[in-house]
Amino acid sequence: MDYPDKAMANAPASAEVPWTTGGVETAARATGGVMGAVGRFRWVICSLLLFGATKNYMDRQVLGVLKTTLQHDLGWNEIDYSNVVFAFQFAYALGMLAIGRLIDRLGTRRGYSLAMIFWSLASMAHGIATSLGSFILARSALGLGESGVFPASLKCVAEWFPRRERALAVGIFNAGTNVGAILTPLFVPWITIHWGWRWAFLITGALGFVWLIFWLALYRKPEDHRSCSKSELAHIRNDPPDSSQKAAWRSLFPHRQTWAFAVGKFLTDPIWWFYLFWVPDFLQREHGLQLAQIGPPIVTIYVLSDIGSVAGGWFSSFLIRRGSSVSTARKTAMLLCALSVLPIVFADRVASLWTAVLIIGLAAAAHQGFSANLFTLPSDMFPSSAVGSVVGIGGTAGAIGGMLIAKIVGYALQWTGSYKVPFLIAGAAYLLALGFIHMLAPGLKQARLSTEASA
């Protein structure tokens, strides 16, 4: 299923687009008086995406915050815990392979709604799990449902934002992942201490139905939404026309652009999974924190991540506004982020808790800045009808990488009791990913897709 209006999609990334002319205001300038001239309802839509990503990451992060508690209560060792994480990643990988295409067919509104319902129920199911097997089953269902959030969100951004604002919009909604990771260690320990860990899963899962009410009430396509003014719709549709071709799903795999995005996700997504599922344990294990004490350090890490997410998207948009090509802008931002990750290799060697927290926080912020630009590449290089599917392929690659990191960390901890190997992998991943992206898509040129019927 094609996007509702081809006119909003991308110009070829290799073209020199006069971003600073033509009367189109960027989000950065629009925060002043100019924004009112074209309307701002698209940013309301962006806020819905932010809260959806927040809920998504709250459901993921509960497991990491409660790792020590669950290992104690359920008798898990490090490999058992890694198997629970692996189950999530395996289901997430399978879901990402199909969910992008499904959302392309169902549309953003219905597709995101169904994903939210499914994963919220799966999150609540953790609260009634009684064994390792039932936990793995619930975790698999969660991974399958959560695989829809980023394909749906990125499709929404492609529908509601002109190309020059997309990196900023992605950076803003992607900051929701950090908001979720900030909120979870603040209230999950309190719930666990007062009511038990089962209620932590039940309450966070149920929040999805609150979000769903607002989503169904507020989300429509721009041309169908009465809150989207004519001037704002013209602003959204300002980009040069996209190709009208409908891509066959199998036609995406031969393109180097597809593999550039997929390899980037394969190498960098696992690092974020590592932070999400193991950093709370690292702080408890290496620095002696109790469950009730874990909130402030984790909050600090993810506040820094939030800043990195928005700053990474803003910086590439700023470079484009100043006349840089899309390729130069995206890759410059990603290079700065990749270099900022490097101190993470020393995180397990410092004695000070807060030095370790700041090193990890810097790396997490750099990851999010890198990710904001990486997530924008499919809409830079593919017609809008293929964006959801390309994101699904990349998400699958990232989840496969997450499966591998789960096993690597689990066995490294079981055999050595040290986090040295995971932190070394984290330090190297981003420069390696950027090297592959540049090799496979040196100019971020738009892919020329087959006109076959959709697979």
Side-chain angles (χ1 to χ4, degrees):
M1 178 175 176
D2 287 345
Y3 282 87
D5 188 344
K6 295 292 184 178
M8 51 68 64
N10 311 321
S14 59
E16 291 296 329
V17 182
W19 299 114
T20 56
T21 62
V24 181
E25 298 79 14
T26 66
R29 290 174 56 195
T31 55
V34 176
M35 189 171 177
V38 297
R40 54 173 61 90
F41 192 77
R42 64 194 181 281
W43 298 107
V44 175
I45 298 298
C46 189
S47 71
L48 284 174
L49 301 181
L50 182 147
F51 289 122
T54 298
K55 166 63 169 62
N56 181 277
Y57 265 72
M58 289 172 68
D59 290 324
R60 298 186 195 189
Q61 178 74 341
V62 175
L63 183 72
V65 171
L66 295 179
K67 176 179 182 288
T68 302
T69 301
L70 294 172
Q71 285 182 301
H72 176 269
D73 288 2
L74 300 177
W76 297 348
N77 61 26
E78 295 295 343
I79 294 175
D80 291 333
Y81 178 79
S82 74
N83 286 335
V84 174
V85 176
F86 182 91
F88 174 90
Q89 299 292 355
F90 181 74
Y92 193 82
L94 291 179
M96 288 296 287
L97 196 60
I99 199 71
R101 200 61 174 176
L102 180 63
I103 288 172
D104 281 342
R105 291 180 181 277
L106 292 177
T108 308
R109 189 170 187 265
R110 284 195 298 166
Y112 205 156
S113 297
L114 291 174
M116 177 64 76
I117 291 169
F118 190 90
W119 99 59
S120 294
L121 291 173
S123 180
M124 296 174 72
H126 288 67
I128 60 173
T130 57
S131 65
L132 179 63
S134 58
F135 237 96
I136 286 175
L137 183 62
R139 205 69 188 168
S140 298
L142 182 68
L144 188 63
E146 286 202 348
S147 64
V149 66
F150 286 104
S153 296
L154 291 166
K155 181 177 173 71
C156 178
V157 167
E159 289 174 346
W160 270 91
F161 288 86
R163 188 181 181 207
R164 64 189 292 184
E165 291 180 352
R166 288 178 192 168
L168 180 59
V170 170
I172 290 171
F173 90 68
N174 196 42
T177 63
N178 307 310
V179 175
I182 288 167
L183 294 177
T184 306
L186 291 179
F187 78 83
V188 164
W190 189 93
I191 293 172
T192 302
I193 291 168
H194 289 83
W195 299 335
W197 60 262
R198 296 185 184 279
W199 279 102
F201 288 106
L202 291 170
I203 291 171
T204 54
L207 291 175
F209 296 98
V210 178
W211 179 91
L212 188 64
I213 293 170
F214 287 94
W215 175 256
L216 293 175
L218 292 174
Y219 190 83
R220 301 290 187 279
K221 298 174 183 178
E223 63 270 24
D224 296 334
H225 211 302
R226 60 185 178 182
S227 296
C228 182
S229 66
K230 291 182 179 180
S231 60
E232 184 170 18
L233 183 61
H235 175 78
I236 294 168
R237 300 291 189 254
N238 184 74
D239 289 327
D242 191 13
S243 168
S244 60
Q245 62 193 17
K246 189 174 182 180
W249 194 62
R250 61 183 173 273
S251 73
L252 298 173
F253 287 100
H255 292 277
R256 294 164 65 93
Q257 293 93 330
T258 301
W259 291 103
F261 180 67
V263 171
K265 295 286 284 179
F266 175 79
L267 290 170
T268 61
D269 274 14
I271 310 307
W272 187 251
W273 299 122
F274 165 59
Y275 297 154
L276 195 68
F277 294 132
W278 274 278
V279 162
D281 176 71
F282 167 74
L283 296 176
Q284 290 177 292
R285 180 192 298 244
E286 300 297 328
H287 296 280
L289 297 184
Q290 300 301 313
L291 181 61
Q293 301 171 312
I294 204 169
I298 297 297
V299 167
T300 300
I301 289 169
Y302 289 109
V303 166
L304 291 172
S305 299
D306 251 341
I307 295 170
S309 179
V310 176
W314 171 85
F315 184 61
S316 64
S317 296
F318 169 78
L319 293 177
I320 291 170
R321 199 164 65 245
R322 294 293 297 268
S324 295
S325 69
V326 172
S327 179
T328 298
R330 302 280 191 248
K331 290 174 183 176
T332 299
M334 293 166 82
L335 176 60
L336 289 176
C337 292
L339 293 174
S340 298
V341 172
L342 293 177
I344 195 72
V345 300
F346 302 108
D348 66 319
R349 306 179 195 180
V350 297
S352 166
L353 166 66
W354 285 101
T355 301
V357 166
L358 291 176
I359 289 173
I360 296 170
L362 175 63
H367 169 93
Q368 291 293 66
F370 191 99
S371 183
N373 286 279
L374 180 61
F375 267 132
T376 312
L377 298 188
S379 62
D380 288 335
M381 299 188 294
F382 289 89
S384 59
S385 59
V387 167
S389 298
V390 174
V391 171
I393 292 168
T396 301
I400 292 171
M403 292 161 60
L404 295 176
I405 202 71
K407 288 300 183 181
I408 290 170
V409 178
Y411 279 98
L413 292 178
Q414 189 72 24
W415 292 344
T416 71
S418 170
Y419 276 93
K420 182 175 182 178
V421 170
F423 282 128
L424 287 173
I425 293 171
Y430 299 86
L431 285 173
L432 188 61
L434 182 56
F436 275 108
I437 290 168
H438 185 67
M439 180 177 66
L440 290 167
L444 299 186
K445 295 180 180 179
Q446 194 168 45
R448 297 182 180 274
L449 302 182
S450 167
T451 56
E452 302 172 44
S454 295

